[in-house]
Structures are given as C-alpha cells and as structure tokens.
Amino acid sequence: MKKDFTPALLDFGPLKIYLARHFGFCYGVENAIEIAFRTVEENPGKRIFLLSEMIHNPQVNEDLQEHGVQFLQDTYGKELISFDQLTADDIVLIPAFGTTLQIEEKLRRIGIQTEKYDTTCPFVEKVWNRSEAIAEKKYTVIIHGKPNHEETRATFSHASFKAPALVVKDMEQAEELVKYISGEKNADKFYEEFEDQYSKGFDVTKDLQRIGVVNQTTQLASETQAIADFLKQTMMEKYGLDDSTIEERFADTRDTLCYATNDNQSAVIHLLNTPADLAIVVGGYNSSNTTHLVELCEEKLPTYFINDEERILSQDEIMHFNYKKKLQEVTHDFLPQSLPARILLTSGASCPDALVEGVIRKLVGFFPSAKTVDEMVAEIR
Ligand code: SF4
C-alpha cells in the first residue's frame, strides 16, 4: 500500500521497535550504485574515477574505493586529484546528485565521455528541467537548497546558464531576501549577504522583479512550502496582484522534492504519532535528506542520529551526530529504565538496509529475554 504510512511494529517483547513505513534506499541511489559496480566489473584494468562521493553514505563510498574507484573531488567541490592527471582513456562516473555544466565541459575537453557513466538521478534532472522552463519564461530562478551541496551546485549551474539564479538556504535567508524585494534593505548589502549564491551579473535591483522557485530534492517539505508561499505573498503585496494575475511576477510551480523525500518524511510524520521513548535515525552525517528526518523526530522526542550500529557503544552509551554543531556527542543512559523500551527507527535515502538491520540486532542484544531477530523474521514469514 504505497500511501499507507502506518509504521511496522517489531515486537521483541521487552523491546518494541517501530519501523517507518518508508525508509532507506531510493530509486536514484540504487540506480547509481548499480551503474558504478557494473562499470567496475565491465572495465578491468581501466582507471575509474568518481567526480565526488557517489551518495552521502560512508559505507557505500568506502566499498567503491575498495573496488579501486578513486574520488576526484570532495563533497564541497575541492579537487582531491587534479583533473590534469585525467586522460581520454579514463572513466569518470557522475554521481546521483549530477554535476555542473562547467565540469561536464572540462571533462569533455579532456576527451572523457560521461553519458554512459552518468548516474544523475532522474528526479534531479526533473529539477533542472523545471528551472530551465522557468528561466525560458524570463523568471529569475530561486533555488531553495544548501549552497554547497553537489545537487544544488549542479541545479544552480543549469539554471544560471539561461537566467539569473540565486540560492536561498532557509527561511531565515528568505526573510532577508524579501527585504531586498520590498526595498527595505539597501541593494549594496545583497552582494555580501548572498556571496557565492547568485549568478554572474546578478542585478538585485532588476532580477527580483519576476521570480520562480525550485528546490533541492531532499529539503524539508514544510520549509520548502513555507518559503514558496512567503515569496509568492511578498510578490502579491509588492505588485498588488491576486491569484489570477500572480503569474506576471511569480512562476506557478509546485515543489521539486523527489518521491523518496516526500515518502520518507510522510512516513516519519506518521511514525511520530506512536508513543515512544526515543528515535534513532540511521544515515550519513552529510546526508541532507537524513538530517531532515532527524529534524522532524527531535521536535517530538530524544533523537539519535547515527551512521551505523557501531555508534551504539553499549547499552548505556550512544555516540551520535549533532548536525547543528557538526560534531559527534556521547549520551549516557539513552535506553529507558521502564520496559518495554519503545524505539522509533528510520533511515535516509542513501542508507543501505543492512545498516538498519545491524542497529536492530545490536539493540535486541541488550535485552536478554527478547526474541531474537531470527525468531522474529521466522514469525513474520
Ligand atoms: S533522494 Fe531523491 S533525488 Fe536523491 S537520488 Fe534519491 S530519488 Fe533521486
């Protein structure tokens, strides 16, 4: 039942794990991993590079490196291996986030054909198509996304090829942007405040008069909607428009979140209706979609963001990632005193299911009277 978001209960007796109805690997990630491993298999003896991390999951990336794949850049686009060392004989895989037009051109000039090894997710390409359509209608493209994220950089590159483009990272920045639209803030300050987030030649006095919004596929749905509504309302007020005339200044688009982001977030929202002691979210620490699942959970209950079962150090200690401070912290006595312990569990779109299973097995091991995982699996079958 695709739209049934009721969580699955794994009842081990003294431990109850509520598993989100949708979690983990999405189509784009599975597709990218499959292409990458097939490329390795079909090209023995060839040098194979990945433009940057395949997806934001350390285990998957390590696995690829162990198969001889080398990373050309880090997540922020910094070169780890010089492009000068590449030859036309090399294979370069484009990750699921896609890449910029500039990098595609750079590789083409070296003689590297990327089409066959391009794992860009079709849902990312959909955002590019949407932003190009907005640009063709002469709207400035506002991209709600993380300015340094590979996907947002790629979308920015595609959008700014055809029209002025600007990245807005969150509601706080949208609120500042609105002050430039209304004229409340001096235009000169814009270039400092939005440094590295606007396209070449961006003219804040002209390029905010007609706008359209797209977003990184993995953003928080509620924030994406709030930002689009806020900007739309601002344009209505500034130019005296209503629903029948809004298109004069604001492109009529829906959000560009992908299905996996929507389904994983909806599943977590439903999961949070279940009374529980704590939540565990599994995924890579630089994964945008996973971080948003953490954000949703921590509004309701103690939440631990871990990238594998090893972070559960013992039944008294868990090492988890604080995404706001960008560091790992250890929490003691994270399991409840009273039984049964009730734990909500989910994972991000770049997290292999095996890691979720590892977390379940580790937790079950802390409860000697609990059913084993294998008993539970036999029961479900
Ligand atoms: S999270 Fe969405 S956009 Fe990203 S790879 Fe998965 S399906 Fe594609």
Side-chain angles (χ1 to χ4, degrees), residues 142-179:
I142 309 283
I143 303 157
H144 168 219
K146 293 184 178 167
N148 288 327
H149 192 283
E150 292 99 321
E151 182 194 315
T152 297
R153 291 205 308 269
T155 300
F156 178 77
S157 142
H158 281 257
S160 58
F161 185 64
K162 297 210 167 167
L166 173 69
V167 179
V168 168
K169 66 177 170 209
D170 51 23
M171 185 48 115
E172 217 176 294
Q173 271 208 334
E175 282 167 0
E176 295 312 309
L177 179 66
V178 157
K179 293 180 187 163

Short mmCIF file of all heavy atoms in Angstrom, two decimals, residues 142-179:
data_model
loop_
_atom_site.label_atom_id
_atom_site.label_comp_id
_atom_site.label_asym_id
_atom_site.label_seq_id
_atom_site.Cartn_x
_atom_site.Cartn_y
_atom_site.Cartn_z
N ILE A 142 14.94 31.04 -8.26
CA ILE A 142 15.36 31.00 -6.85
C ILE A 142 15.42 29.52 -6.48
O ILE A 142 14.43 28.79 -6.60
CB ILE A 142 14.33 31.69 -5.92
CG1 ILE A 142 13.98 33.10 -6.42
CG2 ILE A 142 14.80 31.69 -4.47
CD1 ILE A 142 14.99 34.16 -6.16
N ILE A 143 16.59 29.08 -6.01
CA ILE A 143 16.76 27.66 -5.66
C ILE A 143 16.82 27.55 -4.14
O ILE A 143 17.75 28.09 -3.51
CB ILE A 143 18.06 27.09 -6.28
CG1 ILE A 143 18.04 27.28 -7.79
CG2 ILE A 143 18.24 25.61 -5.92
CD1 ILE A 143 19.42 27.29 -8.41
N HIS A 144 15.84 26.86 -3.56
CA HIS A 144 15.90 26.63 -2.12
C HIS A 144 16.74 25.37 -1.91
O HIS A 144 16.32 24.26 -2.25
CB HIS A 144 14.48 26.45 -1.56
CG HIS A 144 14.45 25.92 -0.16
ND1 HIS A 144 13.53 25.01 0.27
CD2 HIS A 144 15.26 26.17 0.89
CE1 HIS A 144 13.77 24.73 1.54
NE2 HIS A 144 14.81 25.41 1.93
N GLY A 145 17.94 25.54 -1.37
CA GLY A 145 18.83 24.39 -1.18
C GLY A 145 20.06 24.79 -0.40
O GLY A 145 20.27 25.96 -0.08
N LYS A 146 20.89 23.80 -0.10
CA LYS A 146 22.13 24.10 0.60
C LYS A 146 23.14 24.57 -0.43
O LYS A 146 23.46 23.81 -1.36
CB LYS A 146 22.64 22.84 1.31
CG LYS A 146 21.73 22.41 2.43
CD LYS A 146 22.31 21.24 3.17
CE LYS A 146 21.38 20.87 4.32
NZ LYS A 146 21.67 19.60 4.91
N PRO A 147 23.67 25.78 -0.29
CA PRO A 147 24.53 26.34 -1.35
C PRO A 147 25.72 25.44 -1.72
O PRO A 147 26.14 25.42 -2.86
CB PRO A 147 25.02 27.67 -0.75
CG PRO A 147 24.00 28.02 0.27
CD PRO A 147 23.46 26.74 0.81
N ASN A 148 26.26 24.69 -0.74
CA ASN A 148 27.44 23.87 -1.04
C ASN A 148 27.13 22.44 -1.45
O ASN A 148 28.03 21.67 -1.74
CB ASN A 148 28.36 23.80 0.19
CG ASN A 148 29.04 25.12 0.40
OD1 ASN A 148 29.34 25.83 -0.56
ND2 ASN A 148 29.26 25.49 1.66
N HIS A 149 25.87 22.08 -1.42
CA HIS A 149 25.51 20.69 -1.75
C HIS A 149 25.70 20.46 -3.25
O HIS A 149 25.35 21.31 -4.08
CB HIS A 149 24.05 20.45 -1.35
CG HIS A 149 23.65 19.02 -1.37
ND1 HIS A 149 23.39 18.34 -2.54
CD2 HIS A 149 23.48 18.11 -0.38
CE1 HIS A 149 23.05 17.08 -2.26
NE2 HIS A 149 23.12 16.92 -0.94
N GLU A 150 26.24 19.29 -3.60
CA GLU A 150 26.52 18.98 -5.01
C GLU A 150 25.29 19.18 -5.89
O GLU A 150 25.38 19.73 -6.99
CB GLU A 150 26.97 17.52 -5.18
CG GLU A 150 28.31 17.18 -4.59
CD GLU A 150 28.17 16.51 -3.23
OE1 GLU A 150 27.29 16.93 -2.44
OE2 GLU A 150 28.96 15.59 -2.94
N GLU A 151 24.15 18.72 -5.40
CA GLU A 151 22.94 18.80 -6.23
C GLU A 151 22.55 20.27 -6.47
O GLU A 151 22.21 20.66 -7.59
CB GLU A 151 21.78 18.06 -5.55
CG GLU A 151 20.52 18.09 -6.40
CD GLU A 151 19.28 17.67 -5.63
OE1 GLU A 151 19.33 16.67 -4.89
OE2 GLU A 151 18.25 18.35 -5.79
N THR A 152 22.62 21.07 -5.43
CA THR A 152 22.25 22.49 -5.58
C THR A 152 23.24 23.21 -6.49
O THR A 152 22.84 24.03 -7.32
CB THR A 152 22.15 23.16 -4.19
OG1 THR A 152 21.10 22.51 -3.48
CG2 THR A 152 21.84 24.63 -4.28
N ARG A 153 24.52 22.85 -6.36
CA ARG A 153 25.51 23.48 -7.25
C ARG A 153 25.20 23.13 -8.70
O ARG A 153 25.31 23.95 -9.60
CB ARG A 153 26.93 23.03 -6.88
CG ARG A 153 27.42 23.58 -5.53
CD ARG A 153 28.94 23.65 -5.47
NE ARG A 153 29.60 22.41 -5.81
CZ ARG A 153 29.95 21.45 -4.95
NH1 ARG A 153 29.68 21.62 -3.66
NH2 ARG A 153 30.57 20.36 -5.36
N ALA A 154 24.81 21.86 -8.93
CA ALA A 154 24.50 21.42 -10.30
C ALA A 154 23.25 22.15 -10.81
O ALA A 154 23.22 22.65 -11.94
CB ALA A 154 24.30 19.91 -10.32
N THR A 155 22.22 22.23 -9.97
CA THR A 155 20.99 22.91 -10.38
C THR A 155 21.26 24.39 -10.66
O THR A 155 20.78 24.95 -11.64
CB THR A 155 19.91 22.76 -9.28
OG1 THR A 155 19.66 21.37 -9.10
CG2 THR A 155 18.62 23.45 -9.65
N PHE A 156 22.05 25.00 -9.81
CA PHE A 156 22.41 26.41 -9.98
C PHE A 156 23.10 26.62 -11.33
O PHE A 156 22.80 27.56 -12.06
CB PHE A 156 23.32 26.83 -8.82
CG PHE A 156 23.80 28.25 -8.89
CD1 PHE A 156 22.96 29.30 -8.56
CD2 PHE A 156 25.10 28.54 -9.30
CE1 PHE A 156 23.40 30.61 -8.63
CE2 PHE A 156 25.54 29.85 -9.38
CZ PHE A 156 24.69 30.88 -9.05
N SER A 157 24.00 25.69 -11.65
CA SER A 157 24.73 25.82 -12.91
C SER A 157 23.78 25.73 -14.10
O SER A 157 23.87 26.51 -15.04
CB SER A 157 25.82 24.74 -12.95
OG SER A 157 25.98 24.21 -14.22
N HIS A 158 22.84 24.79 -14.05
CA HIS A 158 21.88 24.65 -15.16
C HIS A 158 20.95 25.86 -15.24
O HIS A 158 20.67 26.36 -16.32
CB HIS A 158 21.04 23.37 -14.98
CG HIS A 158 21.79 22.15 -15.40
ND1 HIS A 158 21.54 21.50 -16.59
CD2 HIS A 158 22.80 21.47 -14.83
CE1 HIS A 158 22.37 20.48 -16.72
NE2 HIS A 158 23.14 20.43 -15.64
N ALA A 159 20.49 26.33 -14.09
CA ALA A 159 19.56 27.47 -14.08
C ALA A 159 20.25 28.74 -14.54
O ALA A 159 19.72 29.48 -15.38
CB ALA A 159 19.00 27.65 -12.67
N SER A 160 21.46 28.98 -14.04
CA SER A 160 22.12 30.26 -14.33
C SER A 160 22.65 30.32 -15.76
O SER A 160 23.04 31.38 -16.24
CB SER A 160 23.25 30.53 -13.33
OG SER A 160 24.17 29.48 -13.38
N PHE A 161 22.62 29.20 -16.47
CA PHE A 161 23.01 29.20 -17.86
C PHE A 161 21.98 29.97 -18.70
O PHE A 161 22.29 30.57 -19.71
CB PHE A 161 23.10 27.73 -18.34
CG PHE A 161 23.62 27.58 -19.72
CD1 PHE A 161 24.91 27.95 -20.05
CD2 PHE A 161 22.81 27.05 -20.73
CE1 PHE A 161 25.39 27.80 -21.34
CE2 PHE A 161 23.27 26.90 -22.02
CZ PHE A 161 24.57 27.28 -22.33
N LYS A 162 20.74 29.95 -18.22
CA LYS A 162 19.67 30.56 -19.02
C LYS A 162 19.05 31.82 -18.39
O LYS A 162 18.32 32.54 -19.06
CB LYS A 162 18.54 29.54 -19.21
CG LYS A 162 18.98 28.32 -19.98
CD LYS A 162 17.86 27.74 -20.76
CE LYS A 162 18.40 26.74 -21.76
NZ LYS A 162 17.40 25.93 -22.36
N ALA A 163 19.26 32.04 -17.11
CA ALA A 163 18.60 33.18 -16.45
C ALA A 163 19.36 33.54 -15.18
O ALA A 163 20.17 32.74 -14.70
CB ALA A 163 17.16 32.79 -16.08
N PRO A 164 19.09 34.70 -14.59
CA PRO A 164 19.69 34.98 -13.29
C PRO A 164 19.20 33.92 -12.30
O PRO A 164 18.05 33.48 -12.38
CB PRO A 164 19.12 36.36 -12.93
CG PRO A 164 18.64 36.95 -14.21
CD PRO A 164 18.25 35.80 -15.08
N ALA A 165 20.09 33.52 -11.39
CA ALA A 165 19.71 32.48 -10.42
C ALA A 165 20.29 32.84 -9.05
O ALA A 165 21.32 33.52 -8.95
CB ALA A 165 20.24 31.12 -10.87
N LEU A 166 19.60 32.36 -8.03
CA LEU A 166 20.00 32.69 -6.66
C LEU A 166 19.66 31.51 -5.76
O LEU A 166 18.57 30.94 -5.87
CB LEU A 166 19.23 33.94 -6.21
CG LEU A 166 19.36 34.37 -4.76
CD1 LEU A 166 20.77 34.90 -4.48
CD2 LEU A 166 18.34 35.46 -4.44
N VAL A 167 20.58 31.15 -4.87
CA VAL A 167 20.30 30.07 -3.91
C VAL A 167 19.89 30.70 -2.57
O VAL A 167 20.54 31.62 -2.08
CB VAL A 167 21.54 29.17 -3.70
CG1 VAL A 167 21.24 28.07 -2.68
CG2 VAL A 167 21.99 28.55 -5.02
N VAL A 168 18.81 30.18 -2.02
CA VAL A 168 18.35 30.61 -0.69
C VAL A 168 18.39 29.39 0.20
O VAL A 168 17.77 28.37 -0.12
CB VAL A 168 16.92 31.18 -0.78
CG1 VAL A 168 16.33 31.36 0.59
CG2 VAL A 168 16.93 32.49 -1.53
N LYS A 169 19.13 29.45 1.30
CA LYS A 169 19.32 28.19 2.03
C LYS A 169 18.22 27.83 3.01
O LYS A 169 17.99 26.67 3.28
CB LYS A 169 20.71 28.12 2.68
CG LYS A 169 20.98 29.09 3.76
CD LYS A 169 22.38 28.81 4.33
CE LYS A 169 22.74 29.94 5.25
NZ LYS A 169 24.12 30.22 5.35
N ASP A 170 17.52 28.83 3.56
CA ASP A 170 16.47 28.51 4.53
C ASP A 170 15.51 29.68 4.68
O ASP A 170 15.66 30.71 4.00
CB ASP A 170 17.08 28.14 5.89
CG ASP A 170 18.08 29.18 6.36
OD1 ASP A 170 17.99 30.34 5.90
OD2 ASP A 170 18.95 28.85 7.17
N MET A 171 14.56 29.54 5.57
CA MET A 171 13.56 30.59 5.76
C MET A 171 14.20 31.89 6.23
O MET A 171 13.79 32.98 5.84
CB MET A 171 12.50 30.09 6.76
CG MET A 171 11.35 31.03 6.94
SD MET A 171 10.63 31.64 5.40
CE MET A 171 9.04 30.95 5.46
N GLU A 172 15.22 31.76 7.06
CA GLU A 172 15.90 32.96 7.57
C GLU A 172 16.44 33.79 6.40
O GLU A 172 16.28 35.00 6.35
CB GLU A 172 17.06 32.50 8.45
CG GLU A 172 17.30 33.38 9.65
CD GLU A 172 18.41 32.78 10.50
OE1 GLU A 172 18.19 31.68 11.06
OE2 GLU A 172 19.47 33.38 10.55
N GLN A 173 17.06 33.10 5.44
CA GLN A 173 17.59 33.83 4.27
C GLN A 173 16.46 34.33 3.39
O GLN A 173 16.57 35.41 2.80
CB GLN A 173 18.51 32.90 3.46
CG GLN A 173 19.93 32.95 3.93
CD GLN A 173 20.93 32.65 2.82
OE1 GLN A 173 20.62 31.96 1.85
NE2 GLN A 173 22.15 33.13 2.99
N ALA A 174 15.36 33.57 3.31
CA ALA A 174 14.22 34.03 2.50
C ALA A 174 13.67 35.34 3.09
O ALA A 174 13.30 36.26 2.36
CB ALA A 174 13.14 32.96 2.47
N GLU A 175 13.66 35.42 4.42
CA GLU A 175 13.16 36.63 5.07
C GLU A 175 14.06 37.83 4.74
O GLU A 175 13.58 38.95 4.55
CB GLU A 175 13.07 36.42 6.59
CG GLU A 175 11.86 35.60 6.97
CD GLU A 175 11.88 35.11 8.40
OE1 GLU A 175 12.85 35.40 9.14
OE2 GLU A 175 10.93 34.39 8.78
N GLU A 176 15.36 37.58 4.67
CA GLU A 176 16.29 38.67 4.31
C GLU A 176 16.11 39.05 2.84
O GLU A 176 16.13 40.22 2.48
CB GLU A 176 17.74 38.26 4.58
CG GLU A 176 18.06 38.04 6.05
CD GLU A 176 17.57 39.19 6.93
OE1 GLU A 176 17.87 40.36 6.64
OE2 GLU A 176 16.84 38.90 7.93
N LEU A 177 15.92 38.03 2.00
CA LEU A 177 15.75 38.28 0.56
C LEU A 177 14.53 39.18 0.32
O LEU A 177 14.57 40.11 -0.50
CB LEU A 177 15.58 36.95 -0.18
CG LEU A 177 15.37 37.08 -1.69
CD1 LEU A 177 16.61 37.64 -2.36
CD2 LEU A 177 15.01 35.73 -2.31
N VAL A 178 13.48 38.92 1.06
CA VAL A 178 12.24 39.69 0.91
C VAL A 178 12.48 41.18 1.20
O VAL A 178 11.87 42.05 0.58
CB VAL A 178 11.16 39.07 1.83
CG1 VAL A 178 10.08 40.05 2.17
CG2 VAL A 178 10.58 37.84 1.14
N LYS A 179 13.41 41.47 2.08
CA LYS A 179 13.72 42.88 2.39
C LYS A 179 14.34 43.58 1.18
O LYS A 179 14.23 44.79 1.03
CB LYS A 179 14.65 42.95 3.60
CG LYS A 179 13.96 42.49 4.88
CD LYS A 179 14.89 42.56 6.06
CE LYS A 179 14.22 41.93 7.28
NZ LYS A 179 15.17 41.60 8.34
#
